[in-house]
Amino acid sequence: MDKYYELDICGRTEKLPIIPLPSCVNICFFNLHGNVELTEHCAKHIAKRLEKYNPDVLITAESKGLQLTHCVARELGHKLYAVARKTKKLYMQDGISVDAKTITTGEVQRLYLSAHDVELVKGKNVAIIDDVISTGAANAALEQLVATAGGSVICRAFVLAEGDAKDRPNIEYLAAIPLL
């Protein structure tokens, strides 16, 4: 990889590799997996943005939002958070599910919420947390899961807003990146 996009995330400079997608769009690839310092840095800044909303519970979709949401939950003093899974596990037979088609997967995938997480969300004010928002498909699927579970989405927070997502009035994000 010899092409990078450099950006500032709340005082921390990151170089994101530029990679092509099958759809002929190039993205600035952002990866929190295994990067403890970057995850902690982003989580602290997202938690600060969420304080004004005072969410009862956080939700994310696996997998890149998991460690971020874990750290945000810790920063906010939350003991639990909900996770939408991409595969249905044996313990999820009585949960709920929705379909989503995101820019990075390029095909329809199903998100599952276990009955335990449905109860966690039910009747609560919920914050959606994820690493990047682009088309908003994954966010819409999470919103649908929250609504089906009986919760109310009160905020949506991301490390990065990609492309036109930065112009959405109903999201919080730390930095913007282009679609190339």
Side-chain angles (χ1 to χ4, degrees), residues 21-101:
L21 295 179
S23 63
C24 297
V25 172
N26 292 326
I27 63 168
C28 303
F29 181 64
F30 181 67
N31 186 11
L32 289 172
H33 285 312
N35 194 328
V36 175
E37 288 181 359
L38 179 59
T39 301
E40 294 284 344
H41 175 80
C42 294
K44 286 179 184 177
H45 288 279
I46 287 176
K48 286 178 188 172
R49 302 264 179 114
L50 293 182
E51 287 175 351
K52 64 185 174 190
Y53 297 99
N54 194 27
D56 299 316
V57 67
L58 310 176
I59 189 170
T60 194
E62 67 176 6
S63 75
K64 286 171 48 180
L66 283 173
Q67 66 271 19
L68 176 66
T69 304
H70 178 95
C71 294
V72 172
R74 186 188 63 232
E75 290 290 322
L76 295 174
H78 290 208
K79 303 267 187 240
L80 299 170
Y81 57 92
V83 178
R85 304 287 306 259
K86 293 182 180 175
T87 57
K88 188 175 185 177
K89 305 299 180 188
L90 289 174
Y91 67 88
M92 301 177 84
Q93 300 307 312
D94 53 355
I96 60 175
S97 64
V98 299
D99 288 335
K101 182 178 180 182

